[in-house]
Amino acid sequence: MMVRYERPYSHAAHWARRFARIGFVVFVLSLAAHRFGPLTTPHFLALAGFAVAFALMAVLLAAVGLTRLWRVAAIGGTASVSALFYAALPLGFFFFGAAQYLTRPAIYDVSTDTATPPPWIKAPVAEESWIKRRPIVTPADREAQIAAYPGLTGRRYDGALDRVFQGVRKVVEATRIGTTAELGVENARADLEDLAVGAGEGADTNREPEAIPVPATRPAPDIDIGIPGRQASDIVLQGEWRTLIVGFRFDVLIRLREEAETTLVDVRVASRYGQHDLGMGAGFAEEFLRALDAELLGIAGD
């Protein structure tokens, strides 16, 4: 008589694959809708949490399926491995964010000038929904930034304001910052006009002018004066930056200030949502300043 061994069936392994597929699809669709569509960050994070919950359930059931495969050779090994594969994306997103949350300070606004941060031209506005945060950046937040990112400081370049401004423009385009507001741009244009030479100038230096021109004062730029962190001669650019993959929104402010034949550049980056930017604000500010250093190579000062 032939004895035929029937392998048991692991329902846990096959339910694990179903749950993992649900979590994977929910996460991918919500990520695409957030990055390229109208889905806001609070709604995306809620859906991502839903996907992570399904992925965690899938991992637990997959562990049961693999255990039964090892002990009694239950059918379901392929389903368990497939579940772990589908669960990897949402769980990877979750654990990376959790690691950043635990290792980075709980701040959402960073600035290279912590004493007098550049003020916003237009105060950023966002619907916080269920993600709440303090509306005011406290001195304790600035101290936490200094402790966590001691190398995040402004840059001083041995170049004229107009030259540095041209470099900033190029880096703004290269780093995908969408400019939303500007102040003091005419300061750089005025410097360029001072360097321009007319077509007939320099032809006859001995001839006396028919009329002696009277010097006129340069019109004052339309910039708010008296606001801490802003001077009349500053150039200020404000824009919006989004992370490349997920599409988190950040508000960016760049301030150029001419001081003693040098130009000082400061950057301020603030997350649009939540009390914690997971270190992405400081990371982008450092990336922007490194790109600016490369663009203005040769005129960087101390």
Side-chain angles (χ1 to χ4, degrees), residues 168 172 177 235-237 252-256 265-267 288:
V168 168
V172 164
I177 299 176
I235 296 179
V236 185
L237 302 178
V252 182
L253 194 80
I254 305 163
R255 181 184 65 191
L256 292 81
V265 179
D266 284 299
V267 180
F288 180 89

Side-chain angles (χ1 to χ4, degrees), residues 154-242:
R155 296 289 197 273
R156 187 180 298 275
Y157 299 98
D158 294 325
L161 186 65
D162 59 285
R163 171 67 181 92
V164 178
F165 178 65
Q166 292 176 4
V168 168
R169 281 288 199 194
K170 293 181 180 179
V171 177
V172 164
E173 295 178 1
T175 52
R176 312 181 317 279
I177 299 176
T179 304
T180 57
E182 298 178 344
L183 279 179
V185 177
E186 59 272 12
N187 292 332
R189 295 172 184 160
D191 289 342
L192 291 173
E193 291 173 359
D194 292 342
L195 297 176
V197 179
E201 293 183 13
D204 187 0
T205 58
N206 295 324
R207 187 178 64 181
E208 302 209 356
E210 298 179 358
I212 299 176
V214 178
T217 59
R218 179 180 297 173
D222 186 16
I223 300 180
D224 295 333
I225 301 176
I227 299 178
R230 184 181 299 167
Q231 296 180 4
S233 59
D234 290 348
I235 296 179
V236 185
L237 302 178
Q238 182 173 332
E240 179 184 295
W241 171 74
R242 302 188 67 182

Side-chain angles (χ1 to χ4, degrees), residues 35-50:
R35 183 64 183 87
F36 305 104
L39 191 65
T40 62
T41 298
H43 293 90
F44 163 69
L45 293 178
L47 290 173
F50 182 75

Side-chain angles (χ1 to χ4, degrees), residues 105 113 132 140 146 201:
D113 186 351
K132 304 296 183 182
I146 295 173
E201 293 183 13

